[in-house]
Amino acid sequence: MADLDAVVIGSGPNGLAAAVALARTGRSVAVFEAAGEVGGGTRSAELTLPGFTHDVCSAVHPMGILSPFFRELPLDEHGLVWLSPRASVAHPLDDGPPVMIYRSLERTAAGLGVDGARYARLVAPFLERPHELLADVMAPLRIPAHPVGMLRFGVRAIFSANRLARLLFRGDRARALFAGCAGHAVLPLSQPFTAALGLLFAITAHVEDWPVARGGSHAITHALAAYLKSLGSVIETNRRITRLGELPPARAVLFDTSPDQLARIAGDALPARYRRRLERYRYGPGAFKVDWALDGPIPWRDPSCREASTVHVGGTLEEICASERDMYAGRHSERPYLILCQQSEIDPSRAPAGQHTGYAYCHVPHGSTIDRTEAIEAQIDRFAPGFRDRILARHAMNTAWFEHYNPNYVGGAITGGVADALQLFNRPVTRLDPYSTPNPRLFICSAATPPGGGVHGMGGYFAAQSALKRLARA
Ligand SMILES: Cc1cc2nc3c(=O)[nH]c(=O)nc-3n(C[C@H](O)[C@H](O)[C@H](O)COP(=O)(O)OP(=O)(O)OC[C@H]3O[C@@H](n4cnc5c(N)ncnc54)[C@H](O)[C@@H]3O)c2cc1C
């Protein structure tokens, strides 16, 4: 490991993406990972019973299949197979059939009744050149390469999801659908810019069916790691880094870590003022997640819910707004909004024949220790009566579990820190090049950099570009 060009601390999708982007240019790279396995938030395990493979964190990957960087890489040659559902999203309601998002805009609009044409008018213009839009959106704040599309997106994205849904749609179905997509923001849906994620997720679902990775989400990071090794790089697991001095000599160090760890590990190598700014970073709410081994499919009242990789469980726009407002205000909603994934419907390898895996989480206040299992199962039972009778075993994770599993999940925050209007682009601190630090050798590449949470590797990719510029100058 003598004379390395770069060392990466952490092997989540961003750390591996950074390492790959560097190694592809011929740079020598080593990755140090605290856990016994690569992958960070993109790992899978038998959490419940033998033969049931659960995604510990990330499950469904619209941003992965559409990532401008991943799309350039030969990940299929290293074992990654994306499996598509028949629908990206199902959103059950108490009255009437579930709202569905299919790849076909026409078919989706047909299910939205009075708002079908309005939904189609909202989304269709973005589907003319979706990859151009995604390249601009999944990037740090800069002059967009395709300003017309970004402007069209931006004038809608600045609204709160609640306001845009009410302005655009007349009926409960389209409003609920939009709230379900925007709810991934982990913010109250009354906040400005929460419409951005609602719109973005709706657009992605008409470009690619939101896929799962065959065999488990770990297939994504295993493929990245295998490709990285094929480029000559080294990965060491079970190596938690606590001080810079533990690393071999390298011309650049990239942190796939939370900002607080960057401050602690770098210590005096960073000015005290910058470290204080890192320490002020806001991580935001956490998550409570349950995985189930089931002796059959989830018994949705309307079986078309089984077509979707993701089910937004939470009822109407009003209910989802109330749930997310509660958790942000430090309360635990009676009827939480859930993100539920049903990987084994798409990938039978996840469970023994005829049996299934179930996965759902809700957002909870930062550091919450409240057990949400009962509330989560009651919400599912509301739309899938008899769900509880199908449970063979369950595994629950609270915010402390998450933080212990991965030190990046501070207080159980699962998407790399609050992504509100103030911190979405100004992450981890306000800086022209957010991946660089005042120390020319040190960079940050985790989800605490733009474009934020999700398995897309773009934070890693852009941090690597920043490091490569410095390496070229050195
Ligand atoms: C419950 C849950 C569900 C999610 N669902 C989805 C989803 O369906 N789709 C999606 O796209 N995204 C999802 N995400 C988000 C996604 O997993 C993360 O945004 C993504 O993994 C962030 O990648 P990263 O590389 O920045 O960091 P991480 O994935 O957090 O990886 C960081 C790595 O660095 C290691 N590390 C940290 N500190 C040190 C240290 N000091 N020394 C050595 N190693 C260290 C950690 O062990 C870890 O392996 C989900 C996350 C969670 C928790």
Side-chain angles (χ1 to χ4, degrees), residues 145-164:
H146 307 95
V148 176
M150 259 312 256
L151 187 65
R152 177 183 279 278
F153 183 80
V155 294
R156 289 157 181 82
I158 52 170
F159 283 93
S160 76
N162 184 27
R163 180 118 180 83
L164 191 67

Side-chain angles (χ1 to χ4, degrees), residues 24-42:
R24 287 217 304 169
T25 66
R27 301 289 181 172
S28 53
V29 186
V31 178
F32 293 91
E33 166 56 50
E37 191 198 339
V38 297
T42 314

